[in-house]
Amino acid sequence: MEPSSEANARAPGLTAVMSASSRKVHDYSNGLVQLRLVVLFTDRQLWGRALGSFYHVYHALEGAVEEALQHPDLKPFAEDLSATTGMFRTPGFEEDLCFFLGCHWPDKILPGPAVSKYVDHLQLLGKTHPTLLLAHVYTQHLAMLSGGQVIKRLARKRLELPEDYGTKAFDVSEKLSLNTLRQRFKDKLDTLGKTMSAETWQQMLEEHQYAFKANNQIISEFRVGWLPFTRGIVRLVPPIAQVSVLLCVAVAAAVALTRISH
């Protein structure tokens, strides 16, 4: 694509505009994740199943990108979009899922409706508009290189994981720093943004927000039992208040059972 005068006049760059446009849904997503983590970090298998939901997303996204790497807009990102020297996460997810769920892990992470919808969307983009996949890479993979590193540290601590096990999905090659990977990808995406038509630019913003909303639907869809939920809530309150919290949970459970029976 040839740069247009409109594109050349744009300031700030595409990634800055994407981040600004998604601030509200991003904040909501962060809050949703934090609430879920309180519960998920009470049980290794529960955490493993949660990872499994997003494994489907990363597997589909990375597969679609790999098939489209010869597209002119994606070629400059080939070095970044790799499992060995770049940001791809699928092999790391698979190692973690084997650790948490055992060798038959694929049978334990069947995708729900929200996951399937997002996977279908990514596969369609790969066939019809590969450039827009970069908005999802920007959302998903840069999240793993920033906030994901906080989640990695919390998972290791709360789940008491053995060294070198359970957080491969968050690891990066020792040859490159997190900041180098993040900045290199952002710089390339900003460079591409200068050549985009106004229509594609707007679609990139829309896909960036779509990714956050899809993530939120996946997180909301993931169900946890009463026991992990109770454990998570108890961890949030001081010991002196734990009895009151447990009583409230028991009452809520009783009310729910009564409604079901009627």
Side-chain angles (χ1 to χ4, degrees):
M1 283 183 288
E2 292 297 322
S4 65
S5 58
E6 178 187 1
N8 285 330
R10 289 174 181 147
L14 177 59
T15 59
V17 176
M18 289 171 73
S19 295
S21 72
S22 64
R23 188 168 292 120
K24 185 175 180 180
V25 68
H26 192 175
D27 289 344
Y28 176 81
S29 183
N30 284 342
L32 192 61
V33 168
Q34 290 169 13
L35 285 173
R36 273 289 192 262
L37 288 179
V38 169
V39 179
L40 295 177
F41 285 159
T42 64
D43 183 89
R44 287 186 179 182
Q45 287 217 350
L46 189 63
W47 172 243
R49 289 195 297 108
L51 283 179
S53 294
F54 284 95
Y55 164 77
H56 292 295
V57 172
Y58 281 84
H59 183 263
L61 176 54
E62 292 171 7
V65 168
E66 284 184 331
E67 290 182 6
L69 273 180
Q70 295 308 308
H71 187 281
D73 288 347
L74 272 67
K75 270 188 176 182
F77 296 87
E79 182 183 5
D80 306 282
L81 304 179
S82 158
T84 54
T85 61
M87 301 189 298
F88 274 8
R89 307 283 95 198
T90 296
F93 268 104
E94 291 173 349
E95 285 192 53
D96 290 344
L97 290 170
C98 186
F99 171 75
F100 286 116
L101 302 178
C103 59
H104 297 295
W105 61 264
D107 298 330
K108 301 176 182 179
I109 59 163
L110 300 179
V115 174
S116 297
K117 180 182 177 182
Y118 191 15
V119 166
D120 289 346
H121 181 74
L122 293 170
Q123 292 173 341
L124 180 62
L125 288 183
K127 296 174 182 176
T128 60
H129 204 329
T131 302
L132 299 182
L133 291 171
L134 294 171
H136 294 268
V137 173
Y138 175 75
T139 311
Q140 305 295 359
H141 290 75
L142 264 65
M144 294 291 274
L145 299 179
S146 51
Q149 300 306 302
V150 177
I151 293 175
K152 173 184 174 179
R153 291 192 292 271
L154 287 173
R156 300 208 61 80
K157 179 180 179 181
R158 297 294 176 84
L159 295 172
E160 299 179 345
L161 299 177
E163 188 174 356
D164 294 330
Y165 286 93
T167 54
K168 295 293 187 182
F170 301 89
D171 289 347
V172 297
S173 170
E174 295 179 357
K175 298 178 181 178
L176 291 171
S177 71
L178 294 171
N179 288 336
T180 298
L181 278 173
R182 283 196 301 262
Q183 195 57 51
R184 189 170 71 184
F185 184 84
K186 289 173 69 175
D187 289 345
K188 290 180 181 180
L189 194 54
D190 283 334
T191 298
L192 177 61
K194 295 175 182 178
T195 71
M196 284 180 179
S197 66
E199 180 183 9
T200 302
W201 176 284
Q202 182 59 36
Q203 288 174 323
M204 289 288 287
L205 301 184
E206 292 170 358
E207 290 298 325
H208 179 50
Q209 294 207 35
Y210 183 104
F212 275 116
K213 292 175 182 177
N215 286 348
N216 293 343
Q217 289 172 355
I218 292 170
I219 295 168
S220 298
E221 180 180 82
F222 188 82
R223 294 289 178 255
V224 297
W226 277 103
L227 183 57
F229 175 78
T230 304
R231 287 174 180 165
I233 294 299
V234 167
R235 284 186 176 184
L236 286 177
V237 298
I240 195 171
Q242 288 180 5
V243 173
S244 297
V245 171
L246 291 172
L247 285 173
C248 289
V249 170
V251 170
V255 171
L257 289 171
T258 301
R259 288 177 178 173
I260 292 172
S261 64
H262 289 292

